[in-house]
Amino acid sequence: MSDSRKRDWFATEDDASDNELHNSDENDVRLQRQPVVKKAKQIADVKKSKRRETVEDNEEKEESRVTTAAKGSNKRTGKVDSILAFTRTDESDEDNDDDNEQEQSEEEPEVEEGLDRDGNPKGILRQLSTTELEDNRAKIEKSGVVYLSRIPPYMKPAKVRQILSRFGELDRVFLAPEDPKSYARRVRFGGNKKRNFVEGWVEFQDKKKAKLAASTLNGNIIGGRKGSYYYDDILNIKYLPKFKWHHLTEQIAYENQVRQAKLRAEISQATKENKAFIRNVERAKMIEHIQEKKRKKQAKTAPNVKAESKPVPNAGEIEMRRNFKQRSVVMHKDKEETMQRVLKNIFA
Amino acid sequence: MAIRRPSQIQIACIPQILKGRDCIGGARTGSGKTIAFAAPILQKLSEDPFGVFAVVMTPTRELALQISEQFAALGASMNLRQAVIVGGMDMIAQALALQKRPHVVIATPGRLADHIRSSGEEAIAGLRRVKFLVMDEADRLLTPGFAEDLEECMNVMAKAKTRQTLLFSATITQSVMQLKESFRHIFVHEVPSNSISIPATLDQTYLFIPTHVREAYLVSLLTLPINEKKSAIVFVNRATTAEVLKRIFRSMDVRVTSLHSQISQRERIDSLGRFRAEAARVLVATDVASRGLDIPVVQMVVNFDIPADPDDYIHRVGRTARAGRTGESIAFVTEHDINRIKAIEERVGKVMTKYELVTESMVIRDSLQQTSNAKREALMDLERENSGSLSKKRRFDGR
């Protein structure tokens, strides 16, 4: 799935055009199926130790910033806290990606204090007080996430929110849009032009409410008014135990980070190569200049020799020759038996 | 269509074809070979219009579409019915079109052979009575890559005695020329000497540069103030290179499109259309676009990679300087291409001059860093999208 298309789509949907979406659909699907434990393995999978260093560096950086964080939190929670602990940050990619992830869920109501999302990019970091931090942690601890394995046809995030908010206050909603190719195909063959969603995650502020919603709604018709569009549709909804919203975003953030680090490494490599090229060019100019001077000098001392067009390179001059492997010239390709037959039959 | 005066090959070939002779026609690129066979075919057709009267074979799909346009323009007044049978399009629709017995069938060998194998007798019955078989770009068609499909097609078509066979190309290979010896009745219009297959109005230049800075030179070249308005085709040897270059240009805000075998036929047609209509200024293409395509606006051809076969070079640069217009070509010669460029110069019979307008300092100042960054990013994106492999099954996401 192409990023740009997805970006367009989200831009039109939530009017958040200035937000870039780095993740792709595959990521969305993957993160659902990827237990958190696997993340460690993934880090190990990254081949170049360099990249790993950068990733860990970032994590360390973040940890060091969480000076006020309560003790006893393991590395991961520390990291997440750090995300929530600042009012506005643009320094680490991590935070950006979290923002983006949130943008994907439609029309966010009040977000947590820590995450101001309406993009003044160079905001000042304000550390939260210990109590505020504690509050945040408690909030996260209390929240619960449910997973919708299918979304009724063309149901929008707003409708999902409306259905689920019967049970308790919701936080974030994310519905994964369908593959743009299948959308294009449907539209091309005269199908419905509305956007479809394939699966979704919904965050409840209170996990008890989340459990209640899941057990009540799962496998049951949506109901409501008899004539309503979704009356007979069935919801398939599951409470995800021990699963928080940041588990969703983590994977994407991590992948983005790896990508950024790789790009940086690539670019620095390119810069090195360019510098070498520039150096060589300058050197060539210098040598040319020296030779030119020498030639002039020779012409002055012995004007008779001037008639000879090209001076022989002196012993002092650098005479460098490198042999490069030459690509082969292919004239007309060899003739085969079938070719011969064709040629014979062509006029007779 | 404003054709006031026949070109040399038209003067030579049209009467002979009307007389009923087989014909091998060689003439330089952009000299009106298509009309040289289309006009007499239509003349003969109007005398006795029936079923499938002529089959035109081409090596590439786009060329087939272009020839069909020309037939349509010439035959508009006589209600000419024609069918284009090329790969990448709906096969059933094509089979139905064949059943209706169009006057002219324009085909690529692979798809036509496919129809012969699988579309049933009804569809191909018309082919058994064809009066004309034309092979455009004959030297490309008569290579082993097409041999099996061609043989299959020719087995179905009328025997050579009862049909006329016309071969056309800008570069006629030895193996084709030898046919002249064994079949005396053939009329041959030859390219007088080997220097002639390149039009005289074409200015051929080269740039001798290291491999790894080619992209930067290309960007500098195409964004020069004098080149900024020109439409250009950049030829590469691989589809991946074409895709990478396209992305580089796109990141530099150059209006660019690409044409190669790794995108769907719909996108191929679209991108050629965009370039024709000058919605895109730069076309990055593989040899798919090297033959026959007639795009009048092309003022510049850049050979980003040097082709292995000198004949391919002739066809590539033949995309510009067509029908008496001027044009220029620039070959990017790297340290590995000396032999190839020598072979080309020998084949063309002309020594290229150095292209002076792009200098090292200019490249360093304007485009080097920017381009190399863009290239790295493009490569990374490609890798991510296609997991590194670029087989036939994994096509580029068309964007």
Side-chain angles (χ1 to χ4, degrees), chain B residues 16-283:
Chain B
Q16 300 294 334
I17 296 171
L18 287 176
K19 266 186 219 163
R21 290 180 73 178
D22 288 346
C23 174
I24 298 177
R28 67 174 79 105
T29 55
S31 58
K33 286 189 289 290
T34 313
I35 305 288
F37 65 77
I41 285 177
L42 291 177
Q43 171 69 28
K44 285 275 189 184
L45 172 68
S46 60
E47 287 166 11
D48 175 23
F50 73 86
V52 179
F53 187 76
V55 173
V56 182
M57 302 271 230
T58 70
T60 66
R61 300 167 183 178
E62 282 75 19
L63 185 54
L65 292 167
Q66 181 186 302
I67 289 174
S68 126
E69 277 165 27
Q70 277 162 345
F71 263 104
L74 283 177
S77 56
M78 54 183 286
N79 289 333
L80 180 76
R81 283 182 289 128
Q82 49 172 344
V84 181
I85 310 294
V86 296
M89 313 272 251
D90 186 10
M91 198 149 164
I92 294 169
Q94 286 175 357
L96 290 174
L98 275 178
Q99 274 180 25
K100 285 184 188 150
R101 306 280 158 83
H103 297 133
V104 179
V105 170
I106 300 148
T108 48
R111 180 50 72 91
L112 192 60
D114 205 354
H115 277 290
I116 287 167
R117 278 193 297 271
S118 59
S119 286
E121 183 56 33
E122 207 149 303
I124 58 167
L127 297 177
R128 296 189 190 282
R129 290 183 297 152
V130 289
K131 286 285 174 210
F132 278 92
L133 170 63
V134 182
M135 295 201 182
D136 202 9
E137 308 298 341
D139 60 322
R140 182 79 191 86
L141 277 177
L142 296 172
T143 50
F146 287 109
E148 279 180 21
D149 289 333
L150 264 186
E151 197 182 22
E152 204 156 347
C153 298
M154 284 181 19
N155 285 343
V156 167
M157 277 181 239
K159 291 281 155 300
K161 290 268 155 45
T162 57
R163 65 154 201 253
Q164 268 177 269
T165 311
L166 317 174
L167 270 49
F168 284 90
S169 180
T171 51
I172 300 278
T173 48
Q174 285 303 314
S175 54
V176 176
M177 268 305 166
Q178 275 162 13
L179 293 172
K180 175 175 69 166
E181 310 299 323
S182 31
F183 305 100
R184 291 285 169 194
H185 65 283
I186 306 170
F187 169 74
V188 178
H189 179 266
E190 253 179 287
V191 186
S193 86
N194 53 350
S195 74
I196 294 301
S197 45
I198 297 256
T201 48
L202 177 70
D203 181 22
Q204 295 180 78
T205 52
Y206 74 92
L207 268 173
F208 185 51
I209 47 179
T211 318
H212 62 281
V213 289
R214 273 183 304 171
E215 291 85 6
Y217 271 86
L218 184 63
V219 169
S220 279
L221 172 71
L222 291 178
T223 50
L224 274 181
I226 39 161
N227 293 339
E228 222 159 25
K229 292 278 178 303
K230 290 181 184 170
S231 336
I233 303 186
V234 179
F235 280 108
V236 297
N237 286 354
R238 285 164 199 276
T240 328
T241 325
E243 197 60 26
V244 170
L245 284 185
K246 184 181 98 178
R247 282 162 196 241
I248 291 175
F249 277 122
R250 193 157 284 175
S251 71
M252 306 265 168
D253 288 331
V254 174
R255 286 175 291 124
V256 65
T257 183
S258 68
L259 183 65
H260 52 78
S261 58
Q262 299 292 305
I263 51 176
S264 66
Q265 186 57 32
R266 177 187 292 265
E267 283 166 51
R268 275 168 72 165
I269 293 170
D270 282 355
S271 78
L272 196 60
R274 253 162 58 80
F275 186 63
R276 276 230 166 92
E278 295 182 68
R281 179 168 80 84
V282 176
L283 175 71

